Amino acid sequence: MPDDPPVPENPRAAELKALLAEIARNEPGFFRSLVADVFKTPFGYRWEDHPGVTIGKDVRIHPAARIELGSRSKLTIGDGSSIGPMAVLRPKDFHMIIGPNCSVNDYTMLYDNLVLGRGVRIGAHSLIIPENHTFATRAKYIYEQPCEFKGVVFEDDVWVGSNVVVLDGVRVGKGAILAAGCVVTRDVPPYTIVGGVPARVIKERPL
């Protein structure tokens, strides 16, 4: 089949792109602050000004990270932690705690009632959402039934590979490793390596 004909670019969009490219070249500091404002204020709450936010020392938050806060949200990020580009932090009505020396890498999404201990490393494109739909009856659509919020806890020194999914109610023990691509549906014992769908213990870490 022949390719679809190219869609002509809107002249105003092309003009705006050229203007932004010129600003990026000539005023890089201003351009970075402009991008930061766009990504940090999706719902009208700048995280720097939010009363529920506590940021430690030497924390690095990429300008393209999204921190989405409601009026009742609380967020604590400990000393020396970093949040990568396009990562999403969305505490909603809960207190999300990211301990010291943690790293949340690119495109990872963290939601709700989540606690990360000291030195937790989370690979890119991972998804941790401490929330579940309930489906107790067929008489109602799933979206009409309440959600559960049990919470997720990562103890200290946990390494999470890329593309990992952790479901609600899970506790990940100290020193555990979650292999890339696994789906964690139940608690992970300390110092174990888990992988697969659903994740199962592969072996223990060496002493």
Side-chain angles (χ1 to χ4, degrees), residues 5-83:
V7 178
E9 186 172 31
N10 184 305
R12 294 185 65 185
E15 183 179 340
L16 178 60
K17 285 169 63 177
L19 177 60
L20 289 172
E22 183 179 355
I23 293 172
R25 279 194 308 272
N26 299 329
E27 298 288 345
F30 173 74
F31 182 77
R32 284 194 297 270
S33 68
L34 178 65
V35 171
D37 284 342
V38 169
F39 281 100
K40 289 177 186 172
T41 324
F43 299 124
Y45 292 96
R46 285 179 58 88
W47 60 262
E48 302 98 322
D49 305 324
H50 194 286
V53 173
T54 302
I55 305 294
K57 298 178 181 178
D58 301 318
V59 171
R60 300 175 303 284
I61 300 176
H62 193 278
R66 290 178 66 88
I67 300 179
E68 302 180 359
L69 301 167
S71 59
R72 293 186 290 180
S73 300
K74 291 185 178 181
L75 173 65
T76 300
I77 303 179
D79 297 348
S81 290
S82 63
I83 311 297

Side-chain angles (χ1 to χ4, degrees), residues 108-188:
T108 283
M109 299 181 71
L110 308 181
Y111 283 45
D112 300 334
N113 183 17
L114 172 65
V115 177
L116 305 183
R118 176 184 294 273
V120 175
R121 326 301 285 179
I122 301 181
H125 295 273
S126 291
L127 180 62
I128 304 168
I129 302 184
E131 175 179 347
N132 248 334
H133 290 281
T134 60
F135 43 90
T137 176
R138 299 183 188 182
K140 293 183 178 180
Y141 287 102
I142 292 174
Y143 78 86
E144 295 177 324
Q145 300 183 54
C147 289
E148 291 181 332
F149 301 89
K150 297 178 181 176
V152 170
V153 175
F154 288 74
E155 297 180 4
D156 296 347
D157 191 32
V158 172
W159 176 24
V160 180
S162 297
N163 296 293
V164 169
V165 177
V166 180
L167 301 185
D168 190 24
V170 166
R171 187 179 191 95
V172 180
K174 183 177 181 179
I177 298 174
L178 313 185
C182 70
V183 177
V184 182
T185 60
R186 56 187 178 182
D187 291 354
V188 177

